[in-house]
Amino acid sequence: MGFMVADLRATSRLLVNYPEPYRSQILDFLFKPNFGASLHILKVEIGGDGQTTDGTEPSHMHYALDENYFRGYEWWLMKEAKKRNPNITLIGLPWSFPGWLGKGFNWPYVNLQLTAYYVVTWIVGAKRYHDLDIDYIGIWNERPYNVNYIKVLRKMLNYQGLQQVKIIASDSLWESISASMLLDAELLKAIDVIGAHYPGTHTVKDAQLTGKKLWSSEDFSTLNSDTGAGCWGRILNQNYINGYMTSTIAWNLVASYYEQLPYGRCGLMTAQEPWSGHYVVESPVWVSAHTTQFTQPGWYYLKTVGHLEKGGSYVALTDGLGNLTIIIETMSHKHSKCIRPFLPYFNVSQQFATFILKGSFSKIPELQVWYTKLGKSSERFLFKQLDSLWLLDSIGNFTLELQEDELFTLTTLTTGRKGSYPLPPKSQPFPSTYKDDFDVDYPFFSEAPNFADQTGVFEYFTNTEDPGEHRFTLRQVLNQRPITWAADASNTITIIGDYDWTNLTIKCDVYIETPDTGGVFIAGRVNKGGVLIRSARGIFFWIFANGSYRVTGDLAGWIIYALGHVEVTAKKWYTLTLTIRVAGRRKKT
């Protein structure tokens, strides 16, 4: 069986520029074994230059003859995870693809060999440049799969000596991919795992008939409050009990993106303030620990798993070497709703549950007990170790009193630990004055701190021709629209700062690269991003290489406040300044 985990896509953007020691502490809470969430799997986006929910992630091949395995932060994150847990399983999955793969179409299956080559180069590059072994590779997130593409990808992996890289498909619904596999022996052989998204703890008959591993390859996606923790605790157990899923992957790993972007704070923990160092270890981290600290990939579920009489559920797992872990959850309907799908009503009430250990387990002398109670702060406990259960006198029998919204882990393992660090600094808003000259000779990351690209890709660029103050720049590097996953805007945009700023001055040196048709803008009060970026409103100040300027109320340029002519041309630096003030109210006379 696999296990439980985390997934990202443009959601760790703000993590990379956290100051130490806080950045390492956050990573420890996520990945360090027997410390916090102790994750077993890390699933990353294969950046494709397109908007994928909360931003864009750069591709390793922006253009056909371009290869660079040092863009973005996913390589760094995988290495940090491996540093802490060398056994962590790594998964790569594309959301968008660079435009050149589509040959003019918004479709990655125009040339199957080319797209497979592109994905295989990412796997080979991970090993060659970062010594990272990718364990599983996906097809196209929540979008159509192509049967022939999957076969081509499998053949190309094998040809490259990557037989050990397994294919997971199709990161969407169970139905279609399962039926395709049952009708096609070659496809059935090519796919190792069926991954479905937000399955609501249930699978379908066809998926079971394939005999393949079934995973919930994206789930959770819920605000990391105690209700989110309740959702997570319930599905970690019930995805197996109801749906035979042996792995559940949470989107997302850590909420390290501006909170006003879509799905704000839907991570296992929150780290969205690199400028202050403030972060919060939210309750889903400790709910994760109940499973991850006391099981490992390779453990087996016992046949005795199921629902409790008065609501809630239990699972039991063993390593086959005598260790036993039992996880019990009694999450109420009200406090365990996930963001999707709809959760039919069920009732949970106080009950006594008796467990009888038989066979080799009857000789277990003692079980460690870890306990969580979600809800009212007066009664709330997160991953607290209770007195252990002594079983020798009771011949392997024990009874627990269970209330609603509780989690118990009973285990022979004595390695569990609730890791902690001194409290991080207090929360602070984004600094009210902020500047960046991008003056970095050898940047560790390709992106400048705190900028969150929403359409296009902005990278540090050293302008060697320029002897003056514009040697170090931030440059938008895409020259065509990617094969999109979401509705990317028609204009490239990166955002930074505080959503609540209303009175502000933005000043920026800009350079238009494309003669005649090129242009550039600066903007304030931008009101949305992520998958909603196309409809972003705000105050946008544009200049164009054809000698015109505009002020608009939206990114699309439909709402025009002012326009006119100005001495502007491409290939020349200009300083733009935009001052936005709330108009003073006129007194009534």
Side-chain angles (χ1 to χ4, degrees):
M1 50 154 269
F3 235 125
M4 184 252 86
V5 268
D7 156 7
L8 26 151
R9 48 176 190 273
T11 53
S12 306
R13 181 68 204 92
L14 298 173
L15 177 62
V16 295
N17 52 297
Y18 258 79
E20 292 295 352
Y22 311 114
R23 187 174 74 172
S24 291
Q25 292 172 5
I26 294 161
L27 291 162
D28 284 350
F29 278 116
L30 295 168
F31 298 118
K32 191 176 172 180
N34 302 309
F35 189 85
S38 308
L39 298 169
H40 299 164
I41 302 180
L42 173 62
K43 176 177 178 177
V44 304
E45 175 181 343
I46 298 176
D49 295 335
Q51 170 63 246
T52 56
T53 296
D54 286 301
T56 68
E57 288 198 36
S59 170
H60 61 291
M61 297 175 82
H62 292 317
Y63 331 108
L65 298 173
D66 163 59
E67 276 186 70
N68 181 323
Y69 298 91
F70 297 92
R71 293 184 183 131
Y73 50 77
E74 301 286 22
W75 309 109
W76 169 82
L77 188 67
M78 288 190 278
K79 285 190 285 194
E80 292 296 322
K82 278 277 184 195
K83 238 185 242 178
R84 288 163 174 79
N85 175 6
N87 297 325
I88 199 163
T89 295
L90 298 176
I91 307 179
L93 173 66
W95 267 249
S96 67
F97 295 84
W100 59 273
L101 287 172
K103 312 271 187 193
F105 295 90
N106 196 30
W107 192 244
Y109 306 126
V110 174
N111 182 331
L112 304 182
Q113 300 283 344
L114 193 61
T115 298
Y117 168 77
Y118 165 81
V119 169
V120 170
T121 56
W122 184 86
I123 298 170
V124 171
K127 182 64 177 170
R128 183 172 166 193
Y129 295 98
H130 303 285
D131 198 23
L132 292 165
D133 291 297
I134 303 301
D135 300 291
Y136 291 89
I137 197 78
I139 305 306
W140 188 16
N141 181 70
E142 292 173 0
R143 294 292 176 268
Y145 60 92
N146 175 300
V147 167
N148 290 326
Y149 168 71
I150 297 173
K151 295 173 184 177
V152 166
L153 178 61
R154 180 70 269 165
K155 283 186 187 134
M156 199 176 288
L157 286 166
N158 294 350
Y159 183 74
Q160 288 286 336
L162 296 167
Q163 290 84 353
Q164 76 286 359
V165 178
K166 300 183 170 78
I167 290 178
I168 176 163
S170 68
D171 283 289
S172 189
L173 302 172
W174 298 114
E175 284 80 356
S176 178
I177 189 71
S178 312
S180 297
M181 288 165 75
L182 293 174
L183 295 169
D184 184 331
E186 189 188 345
L187 183 68
L188 185 70
K189 191 165 183 281
I191 295 170
D192 291 273
V193 174
I194 304 182
H197 286 196
Y198 305 95
T201 78
H202 293 282
T203 185
V204 299
K205 195 90 195 119
D206 276 359
Q208 288 173 256
L209 287 173
T210 64
K212 298 289 178 174
K213 287 179 187 161
L214 309 182
W215 289 5
S216 174
S217 55
E218 185 180 318
D219 221 324
F220 179 60
S221 213
T222 302
L223 185 72
N224 57 26
S225 61
D226 273 13
T227 301
C231 149
W232 188 227
R234 179 174 57 75
I235 66 179
L236 276 176
N237 265 18
Q238 297 196 24
N239 274 349
Y240 180 73
I241 296 165
N242 302 337
Y244 308 101
M245 289 164 256
T246 53
S247 178
T248 295
I249 300 183
W251 184 78
N252 56 64
L253 172 71
V254 51
S256 285
Y257 47 99
Y258 291 109
E259 193 172 334
Q260 293 81 10
L261 286 168
Y263 306 100
R265 276 194 44 210
C266 288
L268 298 177
M269 60 181 285
T270 306
Q272 56 194 20
E273 287 185 27
W275 46 88
S276 70
H278 179 72
Y279 65 85
V280 186
V281 185
E282 311 278 8
S283 44
V285 164
W286 302 117
V287 167
S288 304
H290 273 276
T291 294
T292 52
Q293 289 201 21
F294 308 108
T295 60
Q296 282 301 317
W299 281 48
Y300 299 89
Y301 283 99
L302 302 184
K303 286 212 163 55
T304 39
V305 302
H307 293 270
L308 296 163
E309 205 171 301
K310 294 192 173 173
S313 69
Y314 65 96
V315 293
L317 299 103
T318 181
D319 59 355
L321 305 169
N323 281 306
L324 173 69
T325 291
I326 301 167
I327 304 147
I328 303 158
E329 60 81 23
T330 56
M331 299 304 157
S332 62
H333 183 268
K334 186 178 170 188
H335 296 136
S336 74
K337 279 187 192 139
C338 304
I339 198 165
R340 65 180 78 91
F342 172 76
L343 181 64
Y345 184 74
F346 59 86
N347 192 48
V348 178
S349 49
Q350 189 231 359
Q351 62 193 312
F352 290 92
T354 300
F355 293 81
I356 301 161
L357 303 186
K358 292 190 166 164
S360 58
F361 295 134
S362 65
K363 298 185 175 61
I364 291 172
E366 179 187 9
L367 288 174
Q368 311 295 315
V369 182
W370 291 85
Y371 173 68
T372 288
K373 168 85 175 176
L374 299 170
K376 291 200 283 288
S377 52
S378 55
E379 316 163 351
R380 193 165 174 262
F381 290 104
L382 292 174
F383 200 58
K384 179 176 166 39
Q385 188 165 17
L386 305 182
D387 292 341
S388 53
L389 283 175
W390 285 91
L391 303 173
L392 286 179
D393 308 336
S394 59
I395 3 170
N397 287 15
F398 59 91
T399 299
L400 296 177
E401 182 182 354
L402 306 173
Q403 314 283 350
E404 61 178 5
D405 299 323
E406 291 183 334
L407 260 171
F408 282 91
T409 299
L410 312 167
T411 179
T412 52
L413 297 182
T414 54
T415 44
R417 168 166 164 232
K418 185 171 182 179
S420 68
Y421 283 114
L423 276 178
K426 280 197 188 61
S427 173
Q428 304 274 357
F430 193 96
S432 56
T433 56
Y434 185 86
K435 63 174 192 286
D436 193 339
D437 58 9
F438 311 115
D439 192 343
V440 191
D441 244 333
Y442 298 102
F444 192 76
F445 291 104
S446 58
E447 304 153 299
N450 301 321
F451 281 92
D453 303 351
Q454 300 301 314
T455 293
V457 172
F458 292 76
E459 293 176 355
Y460 281 118
F461 175 69
T462 306
N463 197 4
T464 43
E465 323 284 85
D466 194 308
E469 56 184 330
H470 298 119
R471 183 177 165 83
F472 296 102
T473 61
L474 190 67
R475 183 188 198 191
Q476 198 293 117
V477 296
L478 301 192
N479 60 5
Q480 69 181 113
R481 189 174 173 83
I483 297 171
T484 55
W485 181 81
D488 296 42
S490 301
N491 299 300
T492 59
I493 178 172
T494 185
I495 58 171
I496 188 169
D498 190 316
Y499 185 82
D500 296 321
W501 284 341
T502 47
N503 289 346
L504 65 153
T505 297
I506 305 147
K507 189 173 164 195
C508 186
D509 290 5
V510 299
Y511 182 92
I512 300 170
E513 293 193 56
T514 313
D516 306 327
T517 56
V520 65
F521 69 84
I522 60 173
R525 293 195 199 165
V526 176
N527 74 337
K528 58 182 77 157
V531 285
L532 306 171
I533 190 63
R534 267 187 95 77
S535 56
R537 304 277 297 264
I539 311 287
F540 295 77
F541 173 27
W542 314 70
I543 56 169
F544 298 97
N546 66 5
S548 64
Y549 79 90
R550 280 185 179 207
V551 179
T552 69
D554 63 335
L555 175 60
W558 296 112
I559 305 161
I560 298 171
Y561 295 143
L563 49 80
H565 289 281
V566 65
E567 287 296 308
V568 165
T569 168
K571 313 275 184 196
K572 194 172 165 198
W573 283 97
Y574 297 95
T575 301
L576 296 187
T577 306
L578 173 61
T579 299
I580 307 174
R581 292 278 173 269
V582 176
R585 294 204 183 118
R586 289 193 183 146
K587 287 183 181 161
K588 288 181 182 165
T589 50

